[in-house]
Amino acid sequence: MARAVTNRRKLIVTVAAWAVGIAIFFPILWTVILSFKSEGDAIKTPLEVLSSAWTFESYATVQERSNYVRHFWNSVVISLGSTLLGLIIAIPAAWAMAFVPGKQTKNVLMWMLSTKMLPPVGVLVPIYLIFRDVGLLDTKTGLVIVLTLINLPIIVWMLYTYFKEIPGEILEAARMDGASLRNELIHVLTPMAVPGIASTVLLNIILAWNEAFWTLNLTAAKAAPLTAFIASYSSPEGLFYAKLSAASTMAIAPILIMGWFSQKQLVRGLTFGAVK
């Protein structure tokens, strides 16, 4: 009886998981399908879309109109640059919060996280004016800085959680052996938190890659990433669904591939320390 109940429960959970997974993935799947249709077919009913002819016309047009490689390279530089800069700042900050006694640590973490609740448009004008005056407008350096600051609270919070799972006695033993603060961070703490750091890196790359608000408002042409590449196919004349879908597919394909091959590492890092 117990086995029957267990099997039934597994079946229900499996079906529910697949249903949720399909519901989440369906918009991406439909975008990919529309990208292989003509503009005339892309606006038809779903059944007519599926039965219409498949074509690479939209991809060819996108390649002719836009420099995909330049936008792709800008996205790579911005996402990796903001992630690296964020780690350089967040690792020492998370170490201090996790291993240096302090009654206000939780309050500081909550304050940092609360900054994510601020609508970005609320600070757009001052940041835009600052970037314009210091020459960071429409530059990859400017976007690296702003995306680092935006995602820094999440990076610090995640690393703090992972660092708290590391026994403090290990760091004390390293100090007794004469390890300096630099050696403690680089040779002791960081290697032990590799799964957590890896998941933090992957999540931050995804967040920076998908960021649209700041990239659209602080860039024009030189530093425009793939989010601006997608937005260029939404014009006042109307939405070009097939071309927009083709551009979206080309923009999300690299991050989907990266996520697929790193899913084990991502899951391992996100569950790091979850089981005592």
Side-chain angles (χ1 to χ4, degrees):
M1 183 67 181
R3 180 176 298 178
V5 172
T6 302
N7 291 337
R8 190 182 306 118
R9 182 176 180 180
K10 288 182 179 179
L11 178 62
I12 294 174
V13 171
T14 301
V15 172
W18 273 102
V20 172
I22 292 173
I24 294 174
F25 186 72
F26 180 77
I28 299 176
L29 177 61
W30 192 249
T31 299
V32 174
I33 292 174
L34 289 182
S35 69
F36 289 100
K37 305 295 180 178
S38 64
E39 289 295 343
D41 293 333
I43 60 175
K44 294 181 178 179
T45 62
L47 291 178
E48 291 177 324
V49 168
L50 293 175
S51 61
S52 60
W54 294 67
T55 176
F56 288 93
E57 175 187 346
S58 297
Y59 286 96
T61 304
V62 168
Q63 290 282 21
E64 292 173 0
R65 285 182 50 183
S66 307
N67 189 344
Y68 172 78
V69 175
R70 178 170 59 83
H71 290 90
F72 171 79
W73 176 247
N74 289 341
S75 288
V76 170
V77 172
I78 293 168
S79 57
L80 293 181
S82 63
T83 300
L84 179 61
L85 181 59
L87 285 179
I88 293 175
I89 300 173
I91 289 178
W95 169 85
M97 294 180 183
F99 297 107
V100 177
K103 296 181 180 179
Q104 301 299 322
T105 297
K106 292 292 185 180
N107 294 334
V108 172
L109 285 171
M110 287 303 301
W111 172 78
M112 292 178 60
L113 199 61
S114 68
T115 60
K116 293 291 293 180
M117 304 175 189
L118 174 69
V121 70
V123 292
L124 173 61
V125 173
I127 290 181
Y128 182 90
L129 295 177
I130 292 172
F131 273 43
R132 183 197 62 183
D133 294 340
V134 301
L136 291 177
L137 201 62
D138 197 19
T139 63
K140 290 189 284 290
T141 302
L143 285 178
V144 166
I145 293 173
V146 74
L147 292 185
T148 298
L149 297 177
I150 290 172
N151 295 326
L152 191 59
I154 295 178
I155 300 176
V156 173
W157 187 282
M158 291 184 67
L159 290 180
Y160 167 80
T161 303
Y162 301 135
F163 288 172
K164 285 293 289 184
E165 299 298 327
I166 298 176
E169 292 78 7
I170 296 178
L171 299 182
E172 293 179 2
R175 294 167 191 164
M176 293 180 63
D177 290 338
S180 62
L181 178 59
R182 177 177 175 275
N183 290 332
E184 180 182 330
L185 283 172
I186 297 177
H187 300 294
V188 181
L189 180 65
T190 302
M192 295 186 65
V194 165
I197 294 176
S199 65
T200 303
V201 167
L202 292 172
L203 181 61
N204 191 74
I205 289 176
I206 293 172
L207 292 174
W209 189 278
N210 294 332
E211 176 60 42
F213 179 82
W214 292 106
T215 56
L216 292 177
N217 285 286
L218 298 180
T219 62
K222 296 180 182 179
L226 287 172
T227 47
F229 168 75
I230 296 173
S232 65
Y233 289 91
S234 175
S235 66
E237 291 80 11
L239 287 175
F240 299 95
Y241 288 105
K243 297 180 182 63
L244 183 61
S245 297
S248 299
T249 302
M250 295 171 68
I252 65 177
I255 205 71
L256 281 177
I257 294 172
M258 186 198 75
W260 176 265
F261 284 103
S262 60
Q263 57 181 317
K264 291 183 178 180
Q265 185 64 44
L266 183 59
V267 172
R268 181 186 175 195
L270 291 176
T271 57
F272 181 68
V275 179
K276 292 290 186 181

